[in-house]
């Protein structure tokens, strides 16, 4: 499609497309593993947040089903996109991890370049793998201390971050990440936990993994610009992959003139499609998965998503934040005035969330005054 003839998609059209892809327009009847795969994983450094993310997206979501996937090694918590902990399917972790290694190294170096100056990272990786070869779970500090004699200068934080987030593909062991469970991070190698090594990078330079990532991203987030794809995964080097699959894609423009790519048959609902109230967890990829988040959150509130605030979507856009107290009361703080109809819809969905979080013990919702 030539640039001059590309259809322009307005903000509301993009919003409805995003909600449809993110399973936020209608709750989906998918099995939990299929939903995690479709979404390309869920950001999960806060261990309980993916449960709310899936409750808002799936009909009849049973949290024990997600816990069972983690203990059953069908899903795994690992450092991946953007060097953040993601909950992904075991298959995706093994397929994608090798493609992310260079980015993960660079991101850790971006924080600890001075501390790690003079450390041969391949030697450090080999030392880390040797320590982990006994299959024993370790915390980051335990692993760093085990190699610190050879590299005393960087300090445990820099060594540990580089080993666990970048050099040695790791899985965070349950009970971390299980429903209603508080547990520290203990790591084992991804290969020992999942029973095989992560896939090696493509030897022929074709970047099949990158091409698959482009398709999977667009299925869950499109229509989107290449800068949005980069913001989601953190990988800079995908232009060749985009070029390779471009013939399969359709192109649009947004109101700013940016080119947006998409899968031809993916849903792009009518912009006037009603959007139900949805409660999103902290760091939800429906917001963080874009460089230009204007389709779902106003620029004035963009900081909320990175600060780890949980948000409420009203008419598809971020309109409030929410918290839950020890008594399982859900408190909603609107970012602006809400109509009576919207307040009722927020209260109804908030009651359902309170019931989910408390096993039906609480249906309490409090809507505070709008934040100023």
């Amino acid at each position: 499609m030539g640039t001059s003839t590309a259809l322009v998609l307005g903000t509301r059209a993009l919003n409805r497309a995003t909600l449809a892809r993110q399973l936020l327009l209608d709750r989906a009847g998918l099995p939990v593993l299929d939903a995690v795969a479709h979404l390309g994983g869920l950001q999960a450094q806060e261990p309980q947040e993916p449960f709310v993310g899936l409750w808002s997206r799936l009909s009849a979501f049973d949290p024990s089903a997600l816990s069972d996937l983690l203990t059953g090694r069908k899903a795994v918590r690992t450092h991946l996109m953007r060097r953040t902990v993601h909950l992904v399917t075991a298959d995706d972790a093994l397929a994608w991890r090798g493609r992310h290694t260079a980015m993960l190294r660079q991101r850790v170096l971006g924080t600890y370049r001075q501390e790690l100056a003079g450390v041969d990272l391949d030697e450090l990786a080999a030392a880390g793998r040797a320590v982990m070869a006994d299959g024993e779970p370790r915390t980051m500090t335990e692993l760093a201390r085990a190699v610190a004699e050879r590299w005393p200068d960087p300090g445990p934080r820099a060594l540990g971050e580089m080993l666990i987030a970048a050099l040695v593909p790791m899985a965070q062991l349950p009970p971390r990440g299980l429903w209603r469970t508080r547990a520290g991070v203990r790591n084992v190698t991804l290969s020992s936990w999942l029973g095989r090594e992560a896939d090696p990078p493509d030897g022929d330079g074709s970047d099949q993994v990158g091409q698959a990532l482009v398709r999977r991203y667009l299925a869950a987030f499109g229509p989107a610009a290449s800068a949005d794809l980069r913001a989601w995964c953190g990988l800079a080097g995908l232009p060749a992959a985009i070029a390779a699959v471009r013939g399969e894609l359709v192109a649009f423009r947004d109101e700013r003139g940016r080119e947006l790519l998409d899968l031809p048959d993916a849903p792009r609902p009518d912009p006037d499609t009603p959007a139900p109230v949805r409660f999103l967890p902290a760091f939800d990829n429906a917001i963080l998965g874009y460089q230009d988040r204007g389709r779902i959150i106003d620029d004035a509130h963009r900081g909320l998503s990175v600060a780890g605030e949980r948000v409420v979507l009203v008419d598809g856009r971020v309109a409030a934040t929410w918290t839950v107290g020890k008594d399982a009361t859900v408190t909603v703080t609107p970012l602006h005035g809400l109509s009576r109809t919207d307040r009722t819809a927020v209260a109804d969905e908030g009651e359902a969330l309170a019931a989910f979080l408390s096993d039906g013990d609480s249906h309490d919702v409090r809507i505070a005054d709008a934040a100023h």
Side-chain angles (χ1 to χ4, degrees), residues 10-16 19 24 255 275-280 287 292-302 311-321 335-336 338 342 346:
T11 302
R12 199 173 163 91
L14 291 175
N15 174 270
R16 293 311 193 251
L19 296 178
L24 293 166
E255 290 168 334
V277 167
R278 291 289 185 254
F279 282 68
L280 295 187
I287 300 172
D292 180 357
R293 297 173 189 159
R295 67 179 68 193
I296 198 164
I297 187 168
D298 296 347
D299 279 347
H301 302 134
R302 186 184 164 111
V311 299
V312 185
L313 302 182
V314 176
D315 192 25
R317 298 188 64 79
V318 173
T321 59
L335 297 168
H336 50 67
L338 296 176
D342 287 341
V346 168

Side-chain angles (χ1 to χ4, degrees), residues 90-113:
D91 289 345
D92 284 344
L94 293 166
W96 293 353
R97 182 51 173 78
R99 185 63 180 81
H100 284 75
T101 298
M103 176 273 292
L104 294 168
R105 282 188 181 205
Q106 285 309 313
R107 293 220 168 184
V108 179
L109 282 177
T111 309
Y112 298 108
R113 195 173 301 279

